[in-house]
Amino acid sequence: MMNFTIVGFLIFLILLATYPSEARFQTCKPSGKIRGTTPPPGQCNPENDSNCCKAGKFYPTYKCSPPVSETTKAVLTINSFEKGGDGGGPSECDNKYHSDDTPVVALSTGWYSGGSRCLNNVVISGNGRSVTAMVVDECDSTMGCDDDHDYQPPCPNNIVDASKAVWKALGVSEGDWGELDITWSDA
């Protein structure tokens, strides 16, 4: 009888150790949705193949992003942080515009973490290379389809929105700029 108890206890421990814990493998589910509206004429800048909101289409919103690790998986997108670029207004972290020749990024809302990563560096790896870039803005996953967001949909929850300098440093041909699977980490 005692052997069955020990064996049962050992099986329980093995199952507990191999069962994915909620915190370690937590998922980030949509927190809501926004209904798209048609942008006023000339109000959505389609630079860098940016999407403009479509009337009646629902876009998911997120308050979270996947957990950060030393190799957080993400999608690299392209953004202009210059005045008049598709990024809209000045960057949230310093209320300034940044040259497209400077390696800067905006992170999805959860990773932006209320500005806690502002003006800190992150290391982005993709295409067999790595580059260090400064976080200057949020890629808003909670809002969109309005003037403040250049009438673009909310950002997905796994985006590192990067300047042209980041794409160049990763050695991606300009014709292939748009989306790239990457990993990133705090520097």
Side-chain angles (χ1 to χ4, degrees):
M1 177 93 165
M2 185 169 214
N3 286 341
F4 288 117
T5 306
I6 292 171
V7 171
F9 181 71
L10 289 175
I11 291 172
F12 171 74
L13 286 178
I14 291 169
L15 289 173
L16 184 62
T18 59
Y19 186 79
S21 73
E22 223 176 287
R24 193 168 135 213
F25 293 101
Q26 110 190 39
T27 58
C28 178
K29 296 183 179 174
S31 55
K33 12 182 175 172
I34 289 176
R35 181 182 218 138
T37 58
T38 302
Q43 292 296 307
C44 182
N45 186 340
E47 180 182 15
N48 297 319
D49 294 326
S50 293
N51 293 323
C52 297
C53 292
K54 296 189 182 346
K57 181 174 179 179
F58 284 96
Y59 299 94
T61 59
Y62 297 88
K63 292 180 181 173
C64 57
S65 290
V68 175
S69 68
E70 290 185 23
T71 55
T72 306
K73 291 182 180 183
V75 175
L76 188 73
T77 56
I78 187 163
N79 185 45
S80 175
F81 295 84
E82 294 183 347
K83 187 170 186 165
D86 64 328
S91 298
E92 271 190 45
C93 292
D94 57 7
N95 202 34
K96 295 179 182 176
Y97 292 98
H98 297 270
S99 168
D100 288 337
D101 296 325
T102 305
V104 293
V105 297
L107 299 177
S108 291
T109 296
W111 292 335
Y112 181 71
S113 189
S116 68
R117 287 192 167 85
C118 271
L119 306 181
N120 291 336
N121 289 332
V122 294
V123 177
I124 300 161
S125 300
N127 199 38
R129 297 186 183 183
S130 291
V131 60
T132 300
M134 185 189 311
V135 176
V136 296
D137 210 349
E138 173 184 18
C139 191
D140 199 337
S141 304
T142 64
M143 305 282 290
C145 298
D146 58 15
D147 185 46
D148 283 348
H149 299 91
D150 200 33
Y151 292 95
Q152 295 175 17
C155 200
N157 67 344
N158 64 340
I159 298 296
V160 175
D161 207 14
S163 64
K164 292 177 182 179
V166 171
W167 286 86
K168 288 177 185 175
L170 292 176
V172 178
S173 301
E174 193 169 341
D176 294 329
W177 291 359
E179 288 190 359
L180 177 69
D181 289 335
I182 59 153
T183 60
W184 74 274
S185 63
D186 293 305

